[in-house]
Structures are given as structure tokens and as C-alpha cells.
Amino acid sequence: MMKRSIIAVSLSAAVFASADQGASGSTQDLLIQKLTQVQMGLAPSDPSRVSVLLRLADLHAEKARQLAMQEIGDGCTVCSAGTADRTKALKFYAEALAGASAAVKPKVHLQMGHLYEMQGQSDLAEKSYKAMLEVSTSPVEQDDS
């Protein structure tokens, strides 16, 4: 029961922090740290594990985006900011896929494909996009025309 309370508080904090468009890097890092601790304490069969993994992946993907945008704004010529966070996001998304619902899987594959593209791994990006189409139940996403 205590774990569920901790998870609820952590997820509430995640929603609050994501609602703040100007969340500072330190707030984002603190949230990532807290959710990582929660995730590490969850049993592999815990039903809330997938939600925590997806939230962690989203946070790392957003952090990578912010770092890349800052680097581009600073005039980088060889841009590599966010690579470590994209790698972490991909790891969390991949782990979450095993237990994700059918409705969530296409969205996760889409996000993974985008992150793979950002990492320069076009072959893995293509595999993710194909997997998205295979698991999708939306007739719009499966339209071949």
C-alpha cells in the first residue's frame, strides 16, 4: 500500500512538473531522479511499472529535446547534446513495450522511431515505424493509399 502512495505522489509531481512549461533543468532532473528510484523499487510484475517507465522515457526524451535546442541556439556545428538522454529514453520505452496495452504500443513505436532518427540510426527507426504499423488498430495508420 505504501508503494502505491509513493507512486501516486511521484506521478502527481510528474503531472505538476510537466504542466509547468518553464520547468527548470534542476526540477526536471529531480523528477527523473525520484521516478528512477520509484521504478527501481517496483517489482517487474507491478501493474504501475509500465506507466512509470513510460513517464521516465518521456522525461528523458523531453530533456534531450531541450538540450538539443539549447545547443542549436548556441550555434553548434557538430550537435550531440541529448544523446545520453535519448539513449535512456529508448531503453525505458523498449522495456515498457512488453507490458504496454495495445492502444499505447503504436505511440511508443512512433516515439522510438523518432528518437532513433535523431540518433542517426535510420535502420532502427524504420523498424520502429514498421512495428507501429503492424500493431496499430487505426485504419488511418494502416492506409496504404
Side-chain angles (χ1 to χ4, degrees):
M1 187 60 118
M2 182 66 155
K3 277 188 186 179
R4 290 188 190 266
S5 298
I6 292 171
I7 292 169
V9 170
S10 295
L11 292 177
S12 296
V15 171
F16 176 74
S18 67
D20 179 14
Q21 294 293 334
S24 68
S26 61
T27 302
Q28 189 177 47
D29 290 338
L30 181 63
L31 185 54
I32 288 171
Q33 230 177 6
K34 296 289 184 186
L35 281 176
T36 299
Q37 290 173 350
V38 169
Q39 178 260 331
M40 289 172 51
L42 292 174
S45 61
D46 192 310
S48 60
R49 185 172 177 80
V50 171
S51 297
V52 172
L53 289 169
L54 290 172
R55 184 65 183 133
L56 269 169
D58 289 344
L59 286 167
H60 279 289
E62 176 60 15
K63 184 177 175 186
R65 186 195 68 77
Q66 290 172 348
L67 290 170
M69 294 304 293
Q70 181 180 357
E71 187 179 46
I72 289 169
D74 292 342
C76 67
T77 53
V78 177
C79 305
S80 62
T83 300
D85 282 293
R86 274 188 218 95
T87 300
K88 288 177 185 175
L90 284 163
K91 176 185 153 279
F92 287 127
Y93 282 131
E95 188 177 342
L97 265 177
S101 69
V104 172
K105 284 184 180 186
K107 296 171 188 174
V108 174
H109 282 297
L110 176 65
Q111 182 68 0
M112 289 178 73
H114 171 72
L115 291 172
Y116 280 130
E117 279 190 79
M118 296 298 294
Q119 297 281 71
Q121 297 173 300
S122 56
D123 55 332
L124 292 174
E126 186 176 342
K127 286 180 184 178
S128 290
Y129 294 139
K130 284 181 179 178
M132 175 193 70
L133 293 173
E134 288 171 7
V135 298
S136 176
T137 57
S138 169
V140 173
E141 292 172 353
Q142 295 177 352
D143 187 13
D144 290 334
S145 49

